[in-house]
Amino acid sequence: MTTRSSSSSVHRPEWGRVPRLAFGGDYNPDQWNREVWKEDIRLMRQAGVNLVTLGVFSWSWIEPEQDRFDFSGMDEVVELLHAGGISIDLATPTASPPPWFSEAHPEALLVDRTGRRLGHGSRQGFCPSAAGYRERSAVVVEQLVRRYGDHSAVVLWHIGNELGGYNAHCWCDATAEAFRGWLQRRHGGLDEVNRAWGTAFWSQRYSAWSQIQPPGLTPGRVNPAQQLDFYRFGSDELLDCYRAERELIRRHVPATPVTTNFMAGTYKWADYFHWATEMDVVANDHYLVAADPDSHVDLALSADLTRGTAGGAPWLLMEHSTSAVQWQPRNKAKRPGEMLRNSLSHIARGSDGACFFQWRQSDSGVEKWHSSMVPHGGEDTRIWREVVQLGGALERVREVAGSTVACEVAIVWDYENYWALEMDAHPSVGMTYADEVRAWHRALWREGITCDVVPATADARTLAGYRLVLVPSQYLMSGSTSAALTAYAEGGGHLVVGPFSGLVDTDDRVHPGHYPGALRELLGLHIDEFLPLGEGETTELDNGLAGRVWCENVVPGTAAVEASFVSGPAAGFPALLRRRVGEGLVRYAATRFDDTSLRALLSGALAEAACTPAARGGGDGIETVRRQGADASWLFVVNHTGSEARLECTGFELLNGVHVTGTLVVPPGEVAVVRESRQP
Ligand code: GLA
């Protein structure tokens, strides 16, 4: 077993010398020769690139054989970048151990749920708990930091890459041992584990630690509390890989910030709210899903969630794409102007930069058909021209760096609940998580409302900063979350809660009494029976709204019935209820809604809570977000529609350098960033 590294969260160097707004991308010079490197620097300067992530997958370049290090190429590239005035986000190469590693440490290769050991030849093929991996990672990181830690071009450290992307969970013996150690730290003794996991059920009582295994392939369904703890352990184990590397770096260069790139919104297995507390700078990757017509709205959720994990502070868009990716079934190219819209949407929502995967398009390997800043065709391409244009645009809006995003609405996102809700053996497989939160967020987006995304651990004081708090789907709910929501409502807040919420505690044990145990008092109702719908089945309400997936037999107590079901298994029972709590207002929906109904529900709640878009004229595809600084505010308007947008606004538009007096006109597909003369 390796020694688990401990957190030293006291020290947070934050952004330090990282250029803001940052502009650049992943730079993989090991795929190219010296002539190309020189050309790269020339082009980077031409586009205004100020930060590159160097060497994410460079392990076999700098350590071609175990303990034989060759930094000659990287030395040269570091000096070329430095001479070109380009800062370096230096990556540890630990996302992709070289073939010599897998040959020497076959025991470190990932084992899947069936017990099958996976082969070498891709990336992230290692088990995060493998001692051999931890040891060799430490060696290469130590070498890197000793060599480049003091170099003035290195302004940020980037640990691994999208931790857990392909190796979130492993089922090898080292994992089993690490899992047992984690359980001991979380629960103390075996009796506590037995209690937490409810092992009285199906005769699962453990009498020795050695009997405990990761939840693998079994004939029937696996203990849900055991699964939930395994997911917690997996998230912590990946974070521990990060911490171990970060501590090595900090020992040498405590003032240089350290980060890793999140996949907020798309990746399920890391509790990024928890992880973010260990980052000096929170960074995120986001890619549009070609098959999703609302992918620009999904972008907004990813950005809002990233900002939420950063506690509202500026964060860094580490990767997105200039055009198509290559890993979806059909990879659509971005159309002219789309990359600029995407970049500025991220910046509007708190990113202090726009970086890409990757700088130069590979000519071989898995990602050769993935777009990049420098396409195969070089400078004479639409993409390159737009990259140069983007560099200029970022220069013009640079003054927004360091400012934060002002929101009146918050939506709760909770990773533990995500894991617990989507486990099997539930009343309906239709009660999924991320897509439901996305639907609520999308309804706000269409209303022109930008929201913060807050964790379920947000306290009443944090919640009190919002006029409206939305809890779309919170099956797992701790006593402290229900207490915070109650205090928020009692303090005058408006709250909307979706169905199948407040049911189990953090061990996935049902809260006692009538459902929903954690929210019964606050909502002023109880649920007598769940009445899930069949696939594709819908249910109508007497106010014209339509539900899907789910309904319930709700018994109102102190809550008033606003609408009832008129069809389906819950016909005649309440569907929407509200309860006044002091000055506050709590609403409960006993079904999941289609997009139109959800928008109707939330637009009513927004109006009652007096929440408005950042500028009059926002909404229906006109994205409006306000960044607020100490002495100024900036209104970002992204026009996603095919028609001209007209908004109420006065100030100075930075992209075109024009004064705006009263009305801002944004042509179809274009963006405006206005330094406002009047504080909102
Ligand atoms: C992820 C990875 C990159 C690259 C891109 C491609 O974000 O971090 O290395 O593979 O996907 O979209």
Side-chain angles (χ1 to χ4, degrees):
M1 275 300 302
T2 48
T3 316
R4 305 283 120 181
S5 56
S6 65
S7 160
S8 61
S9 50
V10 188
H11 177 85
R12 306 277 313 259
E14 303 193 338
W15 287 70
R17 294 179 295 118
V18 178
R20 303 159 89 172
L21 301 174
F23 177 49
D26 279 20
Y27 185 34
N28 297 305
D30 42 335
Q31 296 174 17
W32 305 99
N33 62 36
R34 186 171 283 122
E35 289 320 303
V36 178
W37 299 344
K38 290 185 185 144
E39 175 72 353
D40 284 336
I41 307 297
R42 181 182 74 77
L43 292 174
M44 285 176 192
R45 288 174 63 86
Q46 186 183 323
V49 164
N50 56 20
L51 182 75
V52 293
T53 299
L54 179 62
V56 175
F57 300 107
S58 66
W59 198 336
S60 68
W61 190 35
I62 59 179
E63 192 183 2
E65 291 169 39
Q66 181 167 332
D67 291 320
R68 182 168 74 77
F69 292 92
D70 177 359
F71 288 107
S72 54
M74 193 174 269
D75 282 353
E76 213 172 314
V77 170
V78 166
E79 291 314 323
L80 283 170
L81 288 165
H82 185 44
I86 297 148
S87 296
I88 298 172
D89 166 30
L90 190 56
T92 67
T94 50
S96 195
W100 61 254
F101 171 81
S102 303
E103 189 178 44
H105 291 281
E107 81 292 347
L109 288 169
L110 206 69
V111 173
D112 74 7
R113 183 185 286 274
T114 69
R116 199 173 42 153
R117 201 172 282 284
L118 304 184
H120 190 93
S122 182
R123 62 178 176 180
Q124 278 179 340
F126 59 87
C127 165
S129 303
Y133 170 75
R134 297 290 188 104
E135 280 155 22
R136 293 313 311 180
S137 297
V139 171
V140 72
V141 171
E142 182 81 28
Q143 291 283 331
L144 263 183
V145 71
R146 278 180 190 279
R147 193 160 192 99
Y148 302 111
D150 291 326
H151 199 291
S152 55
V154 177
V155 298
L156 181 63
W157 284 86
H158 181 298
I159 290 182
N161 190 59
E162 295 187 340
L163 298 182
Y166 295 96
N167 59 351
H169 302 115
C170 181
W171 281 264
C172 73
D173 293 345
T175 301
E177 200 183 327
F179 182 41
R180 290 178 206 123
W182 182 93
L183 289 168
Q184 281 165 5
R185 290 192 295 281
R186 178 175 172 87
H187 295 287
L190 209 49
D191 286 349
E192 284 74 22
V193 175
N194 277 315
R195 217 173 358 258
W197 289 7
T199 54
F201 181 80
W202 279 358
S203 188
Q204 292 184 345
R205 287 179 193 84
Y206 292 95
S207 58
W209 285 102
S210 55
Q211 295 156 7
I212 294 187
Q213 297 293 335
L217 215 56
T218 51
R221 297 179 196 280
V222 175
N223 183 319
Q226 179 186 1
Q227 294 186 58
L228 184 56
D229 267 352
F230 187 61
Y231 300 147
R232 289 186 176 115
F233 155 78
S235 173
D236 285 356
E237 196 71 347
L238 290 164
L239 181 61
D240 198 65
C241 290
Y242 169 86
R243 280 202 206 105
E245 291 192 31
R246 184 198 59 194
E247 292 314 302
L248 288 173
I249 294 166
R250 279 199 180 158
R251 203 176 300 151
H252 292 276
V253 282
T256 310
V258 182
T259 189
T260 191
N261 42 349
F262 291 178
M263 300 168 273
T266 51
Y267 184 66
K268 181 174 177 180
W269 301 117
D271 182 347
Y272 286 142
F273 281 106
H274 176 46
W275 284 31
T277 63
E278 305 277 353
M279 307 289 142
D280 297 324
V281 170
V282 169
N284 192 46
D285 298 349
H286 183 264
Y287 291 92
L288 302 183
V289 173
D292 176 7
D294 291 318
S295 59
H296 53 292
V297 189
D298 177 68
L299 177 163
L301 174 61
S302 177
D304 293 341
L305 174 56
T306 307
R307 186 178 71 255
T309 67
W315 52 279
L316 177 60
L317 177 65
M318 190 63 90
E319 290 181 26
H320 67 152
S321 65
T322 56
S323 187
V325 301
Q326 96 304 354
W327 43 265
Q328 296 170 21
R330 290 180 173 77
N331 297 290
K332 287 193 186 161
K334 290 190 182 176
R335 300 324 301 136
E338 193 172 357
M339 176 182 68
L340 181 84
R341 283 200 299 281
N342 293 165
S343 296
L344 287 170
S345 288
H346 282 292
I347 291 173
R349 292 170 188 273
S351 176
D352 269 2
C355 296
F356 293 86
F357 175 83
Q358 61 176 331
W359 164 251
R360 181 178 284 280
Q361 190 166 3
S362 304
D363 63 3
S364 61
V366 170
E367 295 183 318
K368 60 182 171 297
W369 300 119
H370 191 295
S371 63
S372 65
M373 298 173 82
V374 183
H376 289 145
E379 285 172 85
D380 187 15
T381 52
R382 176 193 70 80
I383 289 179
W384 175 252
R385 284 187 283 277
E386 290 202 22
V387 164
V388 174
Q389 185 197 0
L390 175 62
L394 297 190
E395 189 55 41
R396 287 192 282 282
V397 303
R398 196 162 134 189
E399 64 186 55
V400 307
S403 59
T404 54
V405 179
C407 295
E408 298 174 330
V409 182
I411 193 163
V412 172
W413 180 288
D414 179 25
Y415 284 97
E416 294 200 352
N417 172 61
Y418 191 173
W419 306 333
L421 177 68
E422 294 196 345
M423 282 194 294
D424 55 2
H426 277 198
S428 170
V429 293
M431 296 302 273
T432 51
Y433 186 64
D435 51 350
E436 184 63 9
V437 182
R438 195 168 279 120
W440 287 51
H441 181 273
R442 189 165 56 234
L444 293 179
W445 191 94
R446 293 207 198 297
E447 288 294 306
I449 300 291
T450 304
C451 67
D452 279 341
V453 180
V454 297
T457 51
D459 57 16
R461 218 181 125 96
T462 306
L463 298 179
Y466 301 99
R467 291 172 188 270
L468 176 65
V469 172
L470 306 179
V471 183
S473 183
Q474 193 68 30
Y475 159 77
L476 178 150
M477 190 172 285
S478 67
S480 56
T481 299
S482 68
L485 293 173
T486 304
Y488 166 71
E490 284 169 350
H494 287 217
L495 182 68
V496 183
V497 179
F500 203 55
S501 292
L503 295 169
V504 298
D505 68 12
T506 51
D507 290 322
D508 197 36
R509 184 183 296 272
V510 178
H511 286 298
H514 279 304
Y515 311 138
L519 291 172
R520 202 170 47 226
E521 299 302 319
L522 174 61
L523 299 175
L525 53 83
H526 76 259
I527 296 152
D528 188 40
E529 205 178 357
F530 301 141
L531 302 166
L533 297 175
E535 194 173 0
E537 199 182 339
T538 56
T539 170
E540 280 97 48
L541 277 63
D542 58 11
N543 63 355
L545 304 191
R548 58 186 174 84
V549 181
W550 185 263
C551 48
E552 302 165 335
N553 169 359
V554 177
V555 181
T558 51
V561 178
E562 287 191 303
S564 297
F565 293 108
V566 290
S567 67
F573 295 128
L576 273 175
L577 302 97
R578 59 187 272 159
R579 177 173 174 244
R580 287 240 161 250
V581 185
E583 292 296 295
L585 181 64
V586 179
R587 185 173 267 116
Y588 181 69
T591 184
R592 286 191 164 181
F593 289 108
D594 61 32
D595 275 3
T596 312
S597 299
L598 193 53
R599 188 167 169 189
L601 172 73
L602 295 186
S603 73
L606 288 165
E608 278 174 330
C611 301
T612 51
R616 204 184 294 265
D620 289 316
I622 318 291
E623 186 178 353
T624 57
V625 188
R626 176 167 291 109
R627 280 188 73 154
Q628 183 73 51
D631 309 311
S633 63
W634 294 268
L635 177 69
F636 283 72
V637 181
V638 187
N639 185 353
H640 296 276
T641 75
S643 337
E644 189 176 89
R646 298 177 81 81
L647 296 106
E648 218 173 84
C649 165
T650 294
F652 183 72
E653 202 285 314
L654 301 173
L655 291 170
N656 294 303
V658 294
H659 290 280
V660 181
T661 46
T663 304
L664 171 71
V665 179
V666 186
E670 294 201 8
V671 186
V673 182
V674 180
R675 186 199 306 127
E676 297 172 301
S677 330
R678 280 195 298 272
Q679 290 292 308

